[in-house]
Amino acid sequence: MSNLIDQTMIIAILPEIGLVVLIGLVLLFGGIWKGKRLKGLGWLTAAGLGVLIVLSLVFAGPQAENQLVWGNMLHHDWYGLVFRLIFMLGAAITAIIAMEYDYGQKSEFYILLLTSTLGMNLMASAADLIMLYLAFETASIPLYVLAGFLKREKSSVEAGFKYLLFGAMSSALMLFGFSLIYGFTGMTNLADLAQAVVQGVFPPSAVLVSLLLVLIGFSFKISAFPFHFWAPDIYQGAATPISGFLSTASKAAGFSVLLRVMFVVYPSLTGQWQLILGIISGLTMTVGNIIALTQKDLKRLLAYSSIAHAGYILIGISAASAFGVGSAVFYIGTYLLTNLTAFGAVALAGEKTGSFAVDDFDGLSRRSPGLALIMLVSLLSLAGMPPFGGFIAKVLVFAAGVRGGMLWLVAVGALNSIIGLFYYLIVLKHVYLYLPQEGAPKLTFPKPAVATLALLSLGIIVIGTLFSPWYHWALNAAQNLF
Amino acid sequence: MNFSILIFLFVAVLTTFAALVVVTNKNLVSAAMWLIVALFGAALTFVLLEATYIAVVQVVVYIGAIAVLIVFTIMLTRRSAEKEPSGATKQWPIAAVLSLALFSGLTYFYLTVPGTDRLAPVLDKELNMVSALGQLLVSPSGYVLPFELASVLLLAALIGSIVVAWRK
């Protein structure tokens, strides 16, 4: 047993080491800074994450193909790196939006956010069931507290508690699946497990049951049907930036393990899980979109729309090809930018007016033209309109679906896009065409948050027009799974 | 049927029953006592798996420290402990049906799948389990990364519980 830590091992967990250091800094300055300076915690978190993103891009790239480090606990590959960048970007944006509010003046908020991000980072790279489970819980447990962070509000406490209960239940089922895997094979390494499945050490019926149980845990994380029902209540009750984080980074983390486990452990069962995921995908988008149609509260509407988007991403995965995975990764990245922008804009306007009802967004374009434009960009991108990122992402997953022989699913997806377009346009109708209530004042918003959202909107347009470098990254990441 | 399986069945039924009482009992103090029984059942399971060190840790940490702490907490916050909790929600029949379906499905699966009757491999008597475990936990080519991650998780859980419990 070698007891040496070499350079490659450090480089492989460079972003995580940075995150732990950042947690320590936030903890330290949270104790030192008082009063108005506490706002600096948000800046510190966002800037620290920005530095980590740059450092990871420059230094943390993998040197060799399919490298396993830290006693085969972690993969060091492009796949893990791309997802890490996605999570850290999501956390940075969440910190910038959150620092304007009361809860954003507390160091605990950022510590929990960063710890959750650390867990997600390791989820995306985990190569071992033990690592995977620990990372999964490190990502989830801080989020339970964050969902219930607004202790004075009953809805937030309810959200936190519900999230904890559903999360614990689905984790238990997933762990049960892991225990089946370990019980039959005596192994925890993902790549070894694939061998065990092929060699038949693992009876086929047990493989299928373990697959189903593990899928339950992941479906909860990505809020796929029939484990989607928690999402609306929790997104509505939690602080809006946290809802944004839950619906993007946390969901992306769920997808990162779903993809890794399906393609690395169960490649021999591709036919079966392709069909299972295809059916889940179709039901997820249909249920999400149809219920979204009747929503009067914008946070709930976005919650159902985020359920629907999990369905679209699953189309790419159920295509079961490098192209499909690449398009899914591309979709996840684009969706993170778009949905964080949408939730950010809704957070700013809703917190200012004190209401998240769609009717109270009437005439937002007259009260704040800038924010209305940001909402227009993000909602049209969610609807999949050119020239925004959402359009390219949707085209890619649909194309992957067609090539993967899932024509029926693509047809369902196309129908769903039309339903989606309808309710996004209803929101925009309220924002642009309706007049504001008599005497409603013009709204002004904190500059850093608006600047970030404007930058993100620009990013959405850039992804939608110059998509090839980003798509290339996603495809590079996808190649690691094959 | 082997004797150790009989013991296992007894321990499993005891643990599950105790855990069930913990969540259904309305009196917090007796729920805490049943929690100790459930934790002790888990320790017995470890003994049956020949993981004696883990069993000792389970007793010392969970029963010796955590359960005692829980009992103390309940005693010290007597006023809130005396309030009657509202009990089960209205949706319990659906939950019961679903969990029964899951339970019977998994039981059926265990009874039919081949390979569940295999006995656990006999461990090497010469091997010092405690030192092997200790070395694995801190070795870079072993489990040091999950080990460290668990400590970060515990820190976050600590801070999270302060957030939940702090009055401000």
Side-chain angles (χ1 to χ4, degrees):
Chain A
M1 196 183 295
S2 111
N3 286 322
L4 295 171
I5 300 178
D6 59 23
Q7 204 187 347
T8 45
M9 292 166 91
I10 298 289
I11 286 175
I13 57 163
L14 188 73
E16 288 71 41
I17 296 175
L19 279 171
V20 174
V21 172
L22 197 54
I23 290 171
L25 284 177
V26 173
L27 201 56
L28 181 71
F29 285 106
I32 296 174
W33 286 342
K34 295 270 178 287
K36 267 199 162 175
R37 297 187 72 183
L38 280 173
K39 205 173 169 183
L41 291 173
W43 282 117
L44 177 68
T45 309
L49 284 164
V51 169
L52 284 179
I53 289 172
V54 174
L55 281 181
S56 326
L57 268 176
V58 179
F59 295 111
Q63 272 95 29
E65 292 259 314
N66 293 330
Q67 214 178 3
L68 285 168
V69 286
W70 292 99
N72 296 349
M73 286 290 145
L74 283 188
H75 285 281
H76 187 204
D77 54 7
W78 283 111
Y79 179 81
L81 186 65
V82 166
F83 269 104
R84 283 167 181 190
L85 295 177
I86 291 177
F87 305 144
M88 290 194 286
L89 184 67
I93 297 164
T94 308
I96 292 182
I97 307 283
M99 72 185 175
E100 304 300 337
Y101 304 105
D102 283 346
Y103 45 84
Q105 315 295 321
K106 294 192 174 131
S107 57
E108 296 88 359
F109 183 88
Y110 300 105
I111 292 170
L112 293 170
L113 185 71
L114 288 170
T115 314
S116 178
T117 314
L118 171 69
M120 291 174 190
N121 274 0
L122 290 171
M123 268 166 90
S125 310
D128 193 282
L129 288 182
I130 294 174
M131 193 69 225
L132 181 61
Y133 179 67
L134 262 169
F136 201 92
E137 290 303 318
T138 311
S140 308
I141 290 174
L143 287 178
Y144 303 150
V145 183
L146 282 175
F149 203 84
L150 311 174
K151 279 189 295 173
R152 291 218 190 95
E153 282 174 38
K154 214 176 158 193
S155 59
S156 173
V157 174
E158 185 190 323
F161 194 62
K162 265 190 186 163
Y163 195 34
L164 168 72
L165 287 181
F166 289 140
M169 182 68 200
S170 66
S171 274
L173 288 172
M174 181 184 74
L175 203 55
F176 204 71
F178 286 172
S179 79
L180 270 184
I181 298 174
Y182 181 68
F184 277 104
T185 62
M187 292 180 233
T188 52
N189 186 279
L190 298 185
D192 293 349
L193 285 171
Q195 293 295 319
V197 174
V198 177
Q199 286 160 2
V201 195
F202 203 176
S205 59
V207 178
L208 200 64
V209 173
S210 73
L211 173 76
L212 287 176
L213 287 171
V214 168
L215 261 182
I216 291 177
F218 299 163
S219 307
F220 169 78
K221 205 85 190 141
I222 62 174
S223 69
F225 182 87
F227 304 98
H228 64 282
F229 45 78
W230 58 276
D233 288 351
I234 286 155
Y235 292 180
Q236 191 184 18
T240 319
I242 289 303
S243 316
F245 190 68
L246 282 176
S247 72
T248 53
S250 172
K251 197 171 268 202
F255 276 113
S256 74
V257 282
L258 175 74
L259 281 163
R260 177 93 75 185
V261 170
M262 289 303 131
F263 286 96
V264 175
V265 181
Y266 298 108
S268 52
L269 259 77
T270 306
Q272 277 96 324
W273 62 251
Q274 222 180 345
L275 189 66
I276 297 174
L277 286 184
I279 292 169
I280 292 179
S281 158
L283 287 170
T284 307
M285 8 189 211
T286 313
V287 169
N289 275 326
I290 287 180
I291 305 182
L293 279 178
T294 61
Q295 298 305 312
K296 298 274 173 261
D297 182 289
L298 207 46
K299 270 167 104 176
R300 282 187 89 82
L301 185 138
L302 282 178
Y304 282 108
S305 113
S306 97
I307 294 172
H309 281 277
Y312 298 132
I313 298 171
L314 281 170
I315 298 180
I317 300 175
S318 62
S321 60
F323 176 40
V325 176
S327 63
V329 174
F330 183 84
Y331 201 115
I332 292 166
T334 314
Y335 168 73
L336 177 115
L337 286 190
T338 314
N339 217 37
L340 275 177
T341 315
F343 263 106
V346 168
L348 289 181
E351 298 274 349
K352 197 91 183 177
T353 58
S355 158
F356 290 97
V358 177
D359 293 336
D360 288 318
F361 282 74
D362 283 359
L364 186 71
S365 63
R366 287 176 181 76
R367 300 176 71 186
S368 170
L371 199 72
L373 190 65
I374 290 170
M375 273 185 87
L376 177 83
V377 171
S378 61
L379 290 182
L380 284 185
S381 176
L382 282 177
M385 289 284 111
F388 305 110
F391 169 70
I392 304 291
K394 223 167 241 173
V395 168
L396 285 173
V397 287
F398 286 175
V402 171
R403 235 195 253 174
M406 308 291 273
L407 262 179
W408 59 275
L409 190 57
V410 174
V412 175
L415 278 176
N416 267 290
S417 304
I418 299 168
I419 305 178
L421 181 62
F422 180 69
Y423 62 78
Y424 293 125
L425 284 181
I426 287 183
V427 176
L428 289 176
K429 186 175 78 176
H430 280 273
V431 169
Y432 270 93
L433 298 184
Y434 289 175
L435 288 173
Q437 283 163 348
E438 286 291 316
K442 282 213 181 289
L443 299 173
T444 50
F445 300 105
K447 284 213 176 65
V450 173
T452 310
L453 292 182
L455 211 62
L456 286 174
S457 310
L458 204 66
I460 295 170
I461 297 171
V462 168
I463 289 185
T465 42
L466 287 170
F467 61 91
S468 100
W470 318 108
Y471 178 62
H472 201 71
W473 277 23
L475 209 56
N476 250 346
Q479 299 290 1
N480 286 138
L481 297 185
F482 293 88
Chain B
M1 192 178 278
N2 174 310
F3 188 61
S4 66
I5 291 180
L6 271 180
I7 301 179
F8 168 74
L9 279 178
F10 172 72
V11 171
V13 170
L14 178 76
T15 314
T16 318
F17 176 74
L20 209 64
V21 178
V22 172
V23 289
T24 51
N25 199 322
K26 284 188 180 176
N27 185 330
L28 277 179
V29 179
S30 59
M33 295 302 161
W34 278 102
L35 181 66
I36 294 179
V37 177
L39 293 171
F40 194 70
L44 284 177
T45 317
F46 285 127
V47 172
L48 289 174
L49 291 169
E50 292 188 53
T52 42
Y53 174 68
I54 311 261
V56 172
V57 170
Q58 170 84 11
V59 172
V60 171
V61 175
Y62 279 86
I63 301 175
I66 295 177
V68 171
L69 202 64
I70 290 176
V71 173
F72 263 109
T73 319
I74 294 171
M75 300 284 189
L76 288 174
T77 52
R78 196 74 210 183
R79 208 178 300 156
S80 59
E82 275 164 2
K83 248 185 262 165
E84 277 280 290
S86 58
T89 64
K90 285 187 198 103
Q91 275 145 352
W92 72 268
I94 308 168
V97 169
L98 277 177
S99 17
L100 263 180
L102 184 70
F103 178 74
S104 42
L106 283 174
T107 313
Y108 173 77
F109 160 73
Y110 271 115
L111 292 176
T112 49
V113 73
T116 45
D117 51 353
R118 257 183 308 176
L119 292 175
V122 180
L123 292 174
D124 184 3
K125 291 272 185 260
E126 297 295 303
L127 194 67
N128 185 342
M129 294 301 281
V130 180
S131 78
L133 182 73
Q135 275 173 6
L136 266 182
L137 277 184
V138 292
S139 158
S141 52
Y143 292 89
V144 71
L145 203 60
F147 183 66
E148 295 298 337
L149 181 63
S151 58
V152 177
L153 172 59
L154 286 179
L155 173 72
L158 194 71
I159 291 171
S161 54
I162 293 173
V163 169
V164 172
W166 204 254
R167 194 170 294 196
K168 208 164 60 173

